[in-house]
Amino acid sequence: MATVQFFSPPDSIKQLSDSGAFSSVPPLYACRDPDAPSDVDPTLERQIPTIDLSVLTQGDPARRSQMVRQLGRACEEWGFFVVVNHGVPETVREAMLAAAQGFFDLEEEEKAEHSGKHVMDPIRYGTSFNSKVEDIGYWRDYLKVVVHPAFHSPAKPLGFREVLGQYAACTRVVGMKLLRGIWESLELDEGYMNNALDLDACFQVCVANLYPPCPQPELAMGLPPHSDHGLLTLLHQNGVDGLQVKHGSKWVHVKPPPNSFLVNTGDHMEIVTNGRLKSVLHRAVINGRSTRMSIATVVAPSPDTVVEPVAQLVSSERPAMYRGVRYREYLEHQQGNKLREKSALDLLRVQ
């Protein structure tokens, strides 16, 4: 009689991948149809908008006005863009990737000290997205650390706290500069928006994602199609691609230029602009050869802010499309359930 082998979920995808014990994907992670036709349009790659942050912040008035308009169009038409000349030293960005790799290389027992019991824990390590509620698994390990308004950091590896602190501060500056440009493109007063969203006490979380090589990448996913909470997400990755964004009915494989950030708009940007700007669906695909690692930084309203459509973008012709919600409550709901496209945002739509 044949022996039936039972699969027990690993402590981490890294542990599973490093073991070399599997030549095929365990059924828990098989969530894709390998025979499905491709939904990626390679012709769209070169159309992804690029924003030069130095022009947005330091350019002469004419060039700056043009860049503000480009930023507005990028947010309205794509919800996604590449940022160059952002001012964050490459040494800081590379140090953050190295520090994250150092954390993922710790012993499983050391990482498990941060296996959060609650989705709002300020430091949380895990695998997939939310393994407590999912019926399938995703080929991903993660470390989520809240860095503002209160700064947190794991104690290990040595030096992680200092690197994270510098990286968080730098990316927060970039996020705020982009937000100022976006408000201007919508003819919204910067001071009013800062107060309405309490951005001095903004919520910022840094998420390190690890996608190890997979024996059958055509069957598994790093993360399924989803939108992000917050206003903006800034992404920095190692030299391995895997991010895809949805544009219209097609998906676009993103290949960022060197020394750039990938930025997408989040659900709370869609809410506060009353649907003028849309949060973008994106997903993470994996490969069978190389480990992909990314650092995603979410910049968001303060945790206790009730986010609702701003009055200037609500009218009789365009009434409020979303109900207001406290940011903390939205985050808790989204992170506590299955990751499924815009399912959290859909609950707030006014019928």
Side-chain angles (χ1 to χ4, degrees), residues 26-321:
L28 175 65
Y29 302 97
C31 59
R32 299 174 67 189
D33 177 3
D35 298 321
S38 174
D39 52 7
V40 175
D41 184 348
T43 66
L44 291 171
E45 285 179 23
R46 56 182 174 272
Q47 298 180 32
I48 296 173
T50 297
I51 300 301
D52 187 328
L53 193 61
S54 67
V55 174
L56 193 65
T57 56
Q58 302 169 0
D60 66 72
R63 291 185 67 211
R64 185 183 174 283
S65 293
Q66 183 182 24
M67 191 57 64
V68 167
R69 291 193 295 272
Q70 284 182 225
L71 176 60
R73 283 198 302 272
C75 291
E76 196 159 354
E77 297 173 4
W78 278 78
F80 180 81
F81 50 93
V82 176
V83 175
V84 298
N85 297 325
H86 44 71
V88 180
E90 193 64 12
T91 52
V92 172
R93 289 162 28 103
E94 292 307 307
M96 188 67 249
L97 284 172
Q101 185 67 63
F103 177 85
F104 289 122
D105 286 343
L106 293 173
E107 296 295 330
E108 293 298 330
E109 295 77 12
E110 294 177 292
K111 291 183 288 188
E113 295 175 8
H114 300 294
S115 296
K117 301 296 187 291
H118 192 273
V119 294
M120 296 299 288
D121 287 347
I123 304 175
R124 189 155 56 96
Y125 165 72
T127 186
S128 191
F129 177 73
N130 186 341
S131 56
K132 294 179 181 178
V133 300
E134 293 165 338
D135 46 16
I136 57 175
Y138 300 110
W139 202 262
R140 168 212 188 211
D141 296 333
Y142 65 82
L143 172 67
K144 300 183 179 184
V145 186
V146 175
V147 293
H148 200 266
F151 180 79
H152 303 271
S153 175
K156 296 178 182 178
L158 186 66
F160 189 97
R161 181 183 185 89
E162 292 73 22
V163 171
L164 177 62
Q166 188 174 15
Y167 185 83
C170 288
T171 50
R172 189 161 61 251
V173 168
V174 173
M176 292 302 170
K177 289 178 178 178
L178 289 170
L179 287 176
R180 283 196 288 273
I182 292 170
W183 305 147
E184 185 175 346
S185 77
L186 294 168
E187 299 183 345
L188 298 172
D189 180 74
E190 177 191 337
Y192 177 85
M193 295 305 296
N194 284 351
N195 289 333
L197 299 173
D198 194 14
L199 292 180
D200 287 341
C202 73
F203 179 84
Q204 183 186 10
V205 60
C206 288
V207 184
N209 300 296
L210 188 80
Y211 305 99
C214 177
Q216 291 179 297
E218 70 279 5
L219 296 181
M221 286 289 292
L223 278 175
H226 67 282
S227 58
D228 291 342
H229 60 89
L231 297 167
L232 295 174
T233 300
L234 285 71
L235 188 86
H236 170 44
Q237 64 179 33
N238 64 355
V240 181
D241 298 327
L243 175 67
Q244 296 180 344
V245 298
K246 195 169 189 181
H247 184 61
S249 61
K250 289 294 186 178
W251 288 88
V252 187
H253 193 70
V254 182
K255 298 177 181 178
N259 196 20
S260 65
F261 280 109
L262 305 174
V263 180
N264 65 266
T265 51
D267 291 344
H268 291 83
M269 183 67 79
E270 182 164 339
I271 294 171
V272 78
T273 63
N274 199 30
R276 277 278 298 275
L277 309 182
K278 301 286 196 294
S279 58
V280 68
L281 288 176
H282 52 289
R283 64 190 183 188
V285 296
I286 51 181
N287 69 81
R289 304 172 305 281
S290 306
T291 293
R292 176 173 180 253
M293 187 163 56
S294 66
I295 310 293
T297 304
V298 176
V299 178
S302 73
D304 292 318
T305 295
V306 175
V307 185
E308 58 191 352
V310 65
Q312 294 91 322
L313 298 180
V314 176
S315 65
S316 56
E317 293 80 20
R318 192 184 182 90
M321 299 172 63

